[in-house]
């Protein structure tokens, strides 16, 4: 169905709902916003934000410097507004996104959207996704037209506040890019502190410094999206609820046999709901959520530490599966603006296995962003199912445009990283012997939370947990993923880049054709950007030394090799560095599209005084193997 036909169909449905008195149906399956209502609350047959002509193509649409002190979550809601970017429909010059609020009200206000190039404001009506314990999740869908050459500063607010109209409502804003110009974005991961970080306020100035830096960069040159690479929230303390502490205290046989009773389900869901509402309304992060549309995948801490990588008897037991289901419910609601039955309308794709919610979205005309769900299907041996690989290959090929130059793959953990077995050997030669569990903790962000909480599952877990692409058990699957993308790169002429976090360092690596003489013309040349953590503390220097000692050039297959690359000649202090591949300081990544269609990834490393960052740019060229559409 074309868009106008879709609008007419849904408006008809909406009128039917009003006539039959079920306007506020729970779990409404039509999450598409067609807020084609006029200011007098009458149903209209058009959307002024889409159908009206632009007032002027070169309108004065730049924003004044943002006063961030005035940007706060709306006091009339328990959470929100939270922005999400869904897609750009390039052939229609259309931006698609949404706003989420959580409230105990059953009659939330309409959202008002002001496009500076339109003569009228637009309205988005709330659609209820879910209700939990009297708390309603409402999604407002927004669709906007794009200018060809100029980005727009879109202003939005709520029609009423606490049921009454106010003369000067609280407002927020976000930017949509010009269709022909750069789509700029930020990447972050590991957005919380684990329990091993002693005194976060004293040692790191808390969670805000790098979010302050990100918003300062946004203020200078706006981001059109912010990509969460996993661990947007640390939910490990769900195991500290009394019901879960009682469960962990059981012996192994009893723990595996325990049912996920209603009282356990309620306790777990209450933890996730309370933690999300607190986390999403606190600090500078809450400001960013209302100003920069998010695009997310999830990783283990969004559920619990190491979820998916446990031995089968633990992973598949009723309580663990119940925890996973509760985490998924609130992940979809808070981070994807979707309920279990509206994921497709939120732009998420699920393979025939029925598990997982991967995301593929266009960052403008020239970048296709792919965020596979690497947690929902994970087992000790497998990260993604065969059906998901088939789906990703099919969907990527279907959604690549003639103008696409870059294919960016976001993975929770880095695909290119020093091998764990060589890291163990390097530690031993340094006299830094650790248990295998300790090694996994130090390298892959598990820290004391892993050993102290999840270690209660017993020695088998500490010996066998494999939660990274760098572990030997995932080598064959890693090769499978890379070769799938190599085929796409060769056939479609796009540059593939990997972005990942999890490991609490900044760095970069690369895959490359073993016989290649020119990276510009090598479809097997793929850069790995490593950026984490925006909040959590970094690993100690001994771990960085061991990682450097174990950083070799490895063969991936008969024609491809991989290695870490040297990007850090100096520390943020100006001191020359001997170890140039990985830097153990907090960081985030700024991504700008340049005029030659290159992508510039700038890892922004936190200064020692926790004020501002030092920039380390990495240029990813377009692939030059064929004539391409401009």
């Amino acid at each position: 169905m074309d868009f106008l036909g879709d609008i007419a169909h849904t408006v008809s449905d909406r009128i039917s709902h009003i006539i039959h008195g079920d306007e506020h149906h729970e779990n409404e399956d039509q999450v598409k916003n067609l807020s084609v209502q006029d200011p007098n609350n009458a149903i209209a047959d058009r959307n002024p934000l889409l159908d009206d002509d632009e007032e002027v193509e070169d309108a004065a649409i730049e924003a004044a410097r943002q006063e961030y002190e005035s940007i706060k979550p709306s006091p009339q809601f328990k959470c929100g507004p939270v922005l999400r970017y869904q897609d750009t429909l390039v052939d229609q010059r259309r931006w698609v996104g949404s706003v989420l609020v959580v409230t105990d009200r059953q009659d939330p206000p309409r959202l008002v959207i002001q496009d500076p190039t339109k003569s009228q404001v637009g309205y988005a009506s709330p659609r209820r996704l879910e209700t939990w314990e009297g708390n309603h999740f409402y999604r407002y869908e927004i669709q906007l037209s794009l200018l060809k050459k100029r980005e727009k500063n879109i202003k939005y607010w709520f029609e009423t506040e606490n049921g009454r109209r106010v003369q000067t409502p609280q407002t927020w804003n976000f930017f949509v890019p010009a269709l022909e110009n750069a789509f700029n974005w930020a990447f972050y991961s590991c957005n919380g502190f684990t329990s091993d970080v002693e005194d976060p306020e004293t040692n790191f100035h808390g969670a805000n410094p790098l979010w302050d830096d990100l918003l300062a960069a946004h203020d200078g040159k706006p981001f059109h999206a912010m990509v969460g690479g996993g661990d947007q929230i640390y939910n490990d303390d769900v195991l500290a609820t009394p019901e879960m502490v009682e469960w962990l205290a059981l012996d192994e046989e009893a723990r595996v046999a325990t049912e996920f009773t209603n009282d356990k389900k309620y306790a777990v869901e209450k933890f996730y709901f309370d933690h999300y509402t607190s986390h999403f309304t606190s600090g500078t992060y809450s400001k960013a959520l209302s100003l920069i549309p998010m695009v997310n995948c999830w990783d283990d801490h969004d559920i619990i530490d190491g979820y998916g990588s446990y031995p089968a008897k633990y992973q598949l037991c009723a309580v663990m599966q119940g925890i996973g289901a509760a985490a998924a419910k609130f992940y979809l609601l808070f981070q994807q603006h979707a309920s279990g039955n509206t994921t497709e309308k939120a732009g998420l794709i699920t393979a025939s296995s029925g598990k997982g919610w991967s995301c593929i979205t266009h960052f403008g005309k020239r970048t296709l962003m792919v965020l596979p769900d690497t947690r929902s299907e994970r087992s000790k041996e497998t990260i993604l199912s065969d059906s998901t690989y088939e789906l990703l290959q099919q969907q990527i090929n279907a959604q690549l445009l003639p103008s696409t130059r870059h294919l960016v793959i976001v993975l929770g953990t880095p695909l290119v990283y020093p091998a764990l077995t060589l890291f163990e050997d390097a530690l031993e030669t340094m006299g830094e012997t650790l248990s295998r569990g300790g090694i996994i903790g130090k390298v892959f962000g598990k820290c004391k939370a892993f050993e102290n909480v999840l270690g209660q599952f017993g020695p088998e877990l500490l010996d066998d947990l494999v939660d990274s692409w760098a572990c030997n058990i995932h080598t064959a699957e890693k090769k499978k993923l890379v070769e799938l993308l190599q085929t796409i790169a060769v056939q479609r002429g796009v540059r593939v880049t990997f972005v990942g976090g999890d490991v609490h360092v900044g760095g970069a690596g690369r895959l490359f054709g073993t016989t290649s003489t020119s990276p510009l013309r090598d479809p097997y040349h793929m850069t790995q950007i490593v950026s984490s953590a925006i909040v959590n503390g970094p690993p100690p220097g001994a771990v960085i030394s061991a990682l450097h000692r174990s950083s070799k050039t490895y063969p991936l297959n008969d024609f491809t090799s991989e290695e870490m690359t040297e990007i850090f000649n100096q520390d943020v202090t100006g001191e020359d560095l001997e170890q140039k591949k990985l830097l153990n300081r907090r960081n985030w990544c700024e991504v700008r599209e340049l005029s030659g269609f290159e992508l510039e990834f700038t890892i922004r490393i936190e200064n020692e005084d926790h004020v501002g960052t030092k920039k380390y740019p990495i240029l990813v060229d377009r692939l030059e193997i064929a004539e391409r559409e401009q």
Side-chain angles (χ1 to χ4, degrees):
M1 183 181 295
D2 64 19
F3 177 73
L4 292 177
D6 197 19
I7 283 187
H9 175 74
T10 307
V11 167
S12 176
D13 283 353
R14 184 171 172 79
I15 293 173
S16 175
H17 282 314
I18 292 173
I19 292 172
H20 292 93
D22 55 355
E23 173 64 7
H24 291 291
H25 226 355
E26 283 199 28
N27 297 319
E28 172 64 63
D29 63 357
Q30 292 198 48
V31 182
K32 290 187 177 180
N33 160 42
L34 304 178
S35 54
V36 285
Q37 296 179 336
D38 65 25
N40 296 318
N41 205 31
I43 301 296
D45 59 359
R46 65 181 185 85
N47 186 336
L49 295 177
L50 294 175
D51 301 335
D52 282 2
D53 292 335
E54 313 291 350
E55 288 295 288
V56 282
E57 176 72 11
D58 196 31
I61 57 176
E62 294 84 356
R65 187 171 181 83
Q66 184 72 61
E67 295 293 338
Y68 288 118
E69 288 302 315
S70 65
I71 299 297
K72 297 176 182 177
S74 175
Q76 65 177 319
F77 306 129
K78 289 192 175 182
C79 183
V82 177
L83 283 167
R84 178 177 179 264
Y85 171 73
Q86 183 164 321
D87 204 359
T88 294
L89 309 180
V90 172
D91 58 341
Q92 300 177 48
R93 284 176 52 180
R94 185 169 303 156
W95 183 99
V96 180
S98 57
V99 168
L100 177 82
V101 302
V102 183
T103 177
D104 57 7
R105 294 177 53 186
Q106 298 209 35
D107 57 342
R110 290 188 301 174
L111 189 71
V112 187
I113 306 106
Q114 183 179 60
D115 180 333
T117 69
K118 303 293 188 180
S119 60
Q120 299 181 56
V121 298
Y123 293 81
S125 296
R127 294 299 179 96
R128 183 158 49 192
L129 296 172
E130 184 72 73
T131 296
W132 187 84
E133 292 295 303
N135 299 286
H136 310 294
F137 292 79
Y138 289 102
R139 168 187 166 118
Y140 301 79
E141 184 173 307
I142 304 172
Q143 296 196 15
L144 301 163
S145 61
L146 299 177
L147 296 176
K148 287 186 177 180
K149 300 292 186 180
R150 299 290 297 275
E151 71 180 0
K152 296 181 185 181
N153 176 25
I154 305 298
K155 187 176 179 180
Y156 70 100
W157 64 93
F158 294 94
E159 188 174 29
T160 61
E161 295 180 3
N162 294 319
R164 61 185 181 84
R165 295 183 182 273
V166 293
Q167 189 169 2
T168 55
Q170 182 175 356
T171 64
W172 299 264
N173 72 293
F174 62 96
F175 289 82
V176 298
L179 187 65
E180 302 292 340
N181 294 349
F183 190 112
N184 299 311
W185 50 284
F187 174 85
Y188 72 98
S189 65
C190 303
N191 186 37
F193 288 108
T194 42
S195 60
D196 64 306
V197 177
E198 297 179 2
D199 200 347
E201 289 297 330
T202 299
N203 294 332
F204 293 99
H205 291 192
N208 289 334
L210 288 180
W211 282 109
D212 291 339
D213 187 67
L214 189 151
L215 283 188
H218 173 67
D219 204 21
K221 190 174 184 180
F223 294 117
H224 304 119
M226 60 180 187
V227 176
D231 302 341
Q232 282 74 251
I233 183 172
Y234 276 62
N235 282 323
D236 306 316
D237 282 347
V238 68
L239 294 182
T241 58
E243 291 80 1
M244 292 298 99
V245 170
E246 178 183 357
W247 174 65
L248 288 171
L250 299 173
D251 62 35
E252 176 183 320
E253 184 177 346
R255 192 185 304 129
V256 171
T258 299
E259 294 184 4
F260 193 62
T261 56
N262 286 336
D263 63 326
K264 289 182 174 61
K265 178 182 178 182
Y266 175 79
V268 168
E269 290 191 350
K270 185 176 189 306
F271 171 85
Y272 283 116
F273 177 83
D274 290 346
H275 195 204
Y276 263 110
T277 52
S278 173
H279 188 59
F280 274 33
T281 57
S282 299
T284 309
Y285 181 53
S286 70
K287 300 178 187 294
L289 289 173
S290 64
L291 297 171
I292 310 172
M294 63 183 183
V295 178
N296 295 332
C297 60
W298 68 340
D299 205 28
D300 58 336
H301 291 286
D302 296 284
I303 312 167
I304 55 169
D305 203 352
Y307 185 88
S309 294
Y310 299 112
K313 65 181 178 181
Y314 299 131
Q315 182 62 43
L316 299 178
C317 75
V319 173
M320 188 68 76
Q321 289 295 296
I323 291 171
K329 174 179 181 176
F330 290 105
Y331 162 71
L332 288 174
L333 288 167
F334 281 100
Q335 297 199 43
Q336 301 291 4
H337 298 188
S339 60
N341 62 351
T342 63
T343 54
E344 184 176 355
K345 290 174 181 174
L348 305 175
I349 59 174
T350 300
S352 59
S353 68
K355 293 183 178 180
W357 305 281
S358 298
C359 177
I360 300 178
T361 179
H362 300 87
F363 275 18
K365 289 182 65 174
R366 289 174 290 275
T367 296
L368 186 66
M369 179 73 60
V370 180
L371 299 95
D373 181 345
T374 59
R375 281 292 152 187
S376 294
E377 297 178 310
R378 183 185 286 261
S379 69
K380 224 180 80 172
E381 296 79 19
T382 304
I383 297 175
L384 295 169
S385 69
D386 289 342
S387 63
T388 293
Y389 282 111
E390 293 172 5
L391 178 68
L392 289 173
Q393 185 171 28
Q394 171 194 349
Q395 288 293 315
I396 290 170
N397 275 310
Q399 297 198 45
L400 284 170
L401 304 172
S403 57
T404 304
R405 301 301 182 90
H406 294 272
L407 177 59
V408 177
I409 313 295
V410 176
L411 300 172
T413 60
L415 193 82
V416 179
Y417 207 66
L420 180 59
T421 51
L422 294 182
F423 173 79
E424 291 175 289
D425 295 340
L427 276 179
E428 288 178 4
T429 62
M430 295 167 58
E432 295 279 350
T433 57
L434 293 171
S435 69
R436 182 167 175 79
I439 290 171
I440 293 173
K442 298 296 183 184
V443 181
F444 300 116
K446 304 304 171 193
C447 306
K448 290 181 183 176
F450 165 73
E451 293 187 85
N452 292 345
V453 180
L454 301 180
Q456 295 183 61
F457 282 98
E460 181 180 348
L461 178 61
L462 291 176
D463 289 341
D464 294 343
L465 181 63
V466 282
D467 210 40
S468 168
W469 294 95
C471 296
N472 287 343
I473 197 170
H474 295 313
T475 299
E477 186 172 354
K478 172 180 172 178
K479 177 181 173 183
K480 176 180 179 177
L481 173 59
V482 171
E483 290 180 348
L484 181 157
L485 295 168
Q486 286 178 332
T487 299
I488 292 173
V490 170
Q491 293 178 346
R492 305 298 295 271
V494 293
R495 175 70 72 196
V496 176
T497 302
F498 296 100
V499 183
D502 186 68
V503 290
H504 301 177
V505 299
R510 66 174 186 141
L511 296 153
F512 59 95
T514 306
T515 61
S516 170
T517 58
S518 171
L520 283 174
R521 299 181 181 276
D522 178 10
Y524 302 153
H525 193 280
M526 303 175 180
T527 299
Q528 168 76 68
I529 304 297
V530 182
S531 178
S532 72
I534 196 168
V535 170
N536 211 348
V543 167
I544 299 302
S545 296
L547 286 168
H548 277 83
R549 291 191 182 197
S550 62
S551 178
K552 311 293 183 184
T553 300
Y554 312 106
L556 179 85
N557 55 26
D558 292 341
F559 48 88
T560 315
S561 296
E562 63 173 285
E563 63 186 10
M564 301 304 293
T565 54
E566 295 185 343
I567 62 172
F568 300 112
N569 293 315
Q570 289 187 329
D571 201 347
V572 295
T573 60
E575 178 183 359
D576 290 339
L577 291 170
E578 293 184 9
Q579 299 172 339
K580 304 179 190 299
K581 296 177 180 179
L582 300 168
L583 189 52
N584 54 332
R585 295 185 184 277
R586 297 195 298 182
N587 64 88
W588 64 280
C589 188
E590 174 181 11
V591 189
R592 307 285 184 184
E593 183 183 338
L594 305 184
S595 58
F597 305 147
E598 309 91 345
L599 292 183
E600 184 178 58
F601 293 81
T602 301
I603 301 179
R604 296 180 62 134
I605 304 287
E606 183 178 28
N607 289 326
E608 277 203 323
D609 62 359
H610 307 290
V611 178
T613 54
K614 181 176 174 64
K615 301 177 182 179
Y616 297 86
I618 303 154
L619 188 67
V620 174
D621 289 298
R622 61 184 182 179
L623 181 61
E624 296 183 357
I625 62 172
E627 291 295 322
R628 300 297 308 279
E629 177 182 308
Q630 297 297 316

